[in-house]
Amino acid sequence: MRLSLAPRRVPCQRSGQDRRALSEPGVRRDQAASATETVTLVLGEDSPVPETAADVEDLALRLRGHINQLGTLTSSQEPTLLRAQRLCSDGLPEGYVPSRVHLVKLAEATQELIAKVQQDDIGATPPARRRAWRKPQPNVLRGAVLAVALVCLVWAASVPRT
């Protein structure tokens, strides 16, 4: 089975995303997971070498998009991000071997950026959650009322009559 190299469009990819939404841990994991899939297409042992120049260009565009998305989740002065952005700004070289080498370098830079984002995500503390009380089942309530009634009955029977 061969994986499609056609770029998948993310609905909110071109729109200005809110930074608060990007800082949520779930969003970080989703972006890191999709970037990891693309990196696996390039660096995976079982993945074939891209055959055509269009395949190389598609993969390079995907990796550049992942670097841009992951760049919003890290510090702008992060050396890993700066290295990845420098590779993104370089054009795709002409020729079979140089273009594949550039693609591998882009994938490795993306992989380092994924590791940095995940490392930062682990260091972040999750927000404190309140304990949610479960709603008691009707039989539990009936049993509690019966127990209170029996205690009252025993107490009333033990009081001396005057």
Side-chain angles (χ1 to χ4, degrees):
M1 182 174 110
R2 185 174 171 157
L3 297 174
S4 172
L5 295 179
R8 289 184 296 174
R9 280 224 29 170
V10 180
C12 59
Q13 185 175 1
R14 296 279 182 212
S15 66
Q17 293 178 336
D18 191 20
R19 283 193 181 265
R20 284 177 280 136
L22 290 176
S23 63
E24 295 175 5
V27 173
R28 288 182 182 205
R29 279 191 288 275
D30 291 344
Q31 289 182 355
S34 64
T36 302
E37 289 175 4
T38 306
V39 168
T40 304
L41 283 174
V42 177
L43 298 178
E45 293 178 11
D46 297 337
S47 62
V49 176
E51 296 173 2
T52 64
D55 289 344
V56 173
E57 195 172 316
D58 287 343
L59 285 170
L61 284 174
R62 276 188 182 186
L63 290 171
R64 287 178 182 146
H66 290 307
I67 288 172
N68 287 335
Q69 288 175 348
L70 293 171
T72 61
L73 302 175
T74 61
S75 168
S76 62
Q77 299 302 319
E78 179 65 36
T80 309
L81 176 62
L82 295 174
R83 178 178 171 264
Q85 287 176 338
R86 194 174 330 108
L87 279 171
C88 284
S89 65
D90 295 343
L92 198 61
E94 295 289 326
Y96 184 84
V97 174
S99 64
R100 274 53 175 191
V101 169
H102 182 73
L103 186 64
V104 168
K105 286 181 181 179
L106 261 177
E108 288 171 347
T110 307
Q111 195 172 30
E112 291 173 5
L113 194 56
I114 292 167
K116 179 63 180 163
V117 167
Q118 288 176 341
Q119 178 185 1
D120 290 347
D121 194 27
I122 290 172
T125 57
R129 287 183 40 191
R130 288 185 175 183
R131 181 182 171 114
W133 292 97
R134 292 186 305 155
K135 183 178 177 183
Q137 295 180 353
N139 287 338
V140 173
L141 290 175
R142 290 178 186 140
V145 169
L146 179 64
V148 170
L150 285 175
V151 167
C152 289
L153 184 65
V154 169
W155 179 72
S158 65
V159 174
R161 292 184 187 166
T162 55

